[in-house]
Amino acid sequence: MNLPTEQQARLQHLAQAVLSTSAHLQVTDRGVFAQPFTAERAAGLDGDAALAERVDAFVARFSRLQDLLGDKLLPELLAALGEPPRAIIDNLDHAERLHWIAAADDWMRMRRLRNQMVH
């Protein structure tokens, strides 16, 4: 596949951003989930500023990674394959058919959970 230089550069930039964000998320994940994240730990966030900070960082990095993948990289990859622009759920369904993701419904559930955690 012979892509225009700008599209190649955009894909490379997005791929690097995904790798970087993923690495940061993994570090945060180890800090938050080194112990099981129980209802008791969640209820105690107001009294544990350090844990609350790590949870906030996890939510922010997870959100950033999901946005990078679903809202930026996936549409760009599909465009490189000649696919027309579509709504995110349609892109996710297409990615599922291509076996790039396991389940579009799971992606959307994680997105809703993420939005609940932010608010």
Side-chain angles (χ1 to χ4, degrees):
M1 179 182 321
N2 208 2
L3 299 176
T5 304
E6 298 108 28
Q7 193 172 27
Q8 286 180 23
R10 174 106 173 114
L11 283 167
Q12 287 174 340
H13 171 76
L14 288 169
Q16 185 56 47
V18 164
L19 290 172
S20 175
T21 302
S22 179
H24 289 119
L25 179 61
Q26 288 174 26
V27 169
T28 305
D29 178 84
R30 286 191 295 272
V32 172
F33 301 108
Q35 303 170 16
F37 198 79
T38 61
E40 291 79 23
R41 281 184 81 201
L45 286 175
D46 286 339
D48 187 342
L51 179 58
E53 186 80 25
R54 288 192 303 269
V55 169
D56 284 346
F58 177 85
V59 171
R61 289 173 175 166
F62 181 82
S63 296
R64 192 174 311 121
L65 181 60
Q66 196 176 45
D67 289 345
L68 276 167
L69 289 167
D71 299 339
K72 293 186 174 44
L73 183 60
L74 179 57
E76 195 72 32
L77 285 169
L78 291 171
L81 294 175
E83 296 291 328
R86 294 187 177 118
I88 186 168
I89 188 62
D90 296 326
N91 286 342
L92 291 169
D93 286 338
H94 196 101
E96 182 179 343
R97 285 192 303 278
L98 293 170
H99 302 285
W100 291 353
I101 63 172
D105 289 341
D106 289 347
W107 186 283
M108 293 306 292
R109 266 193 296 282
M110 286 186 283
R111 190 177 184 100
R112 283 190 297 276
L113 177 59
R114 167 198 103 169
N115 290 342
Q116 287 175 339
M117 290 175 72
V118 167
H119 301 295

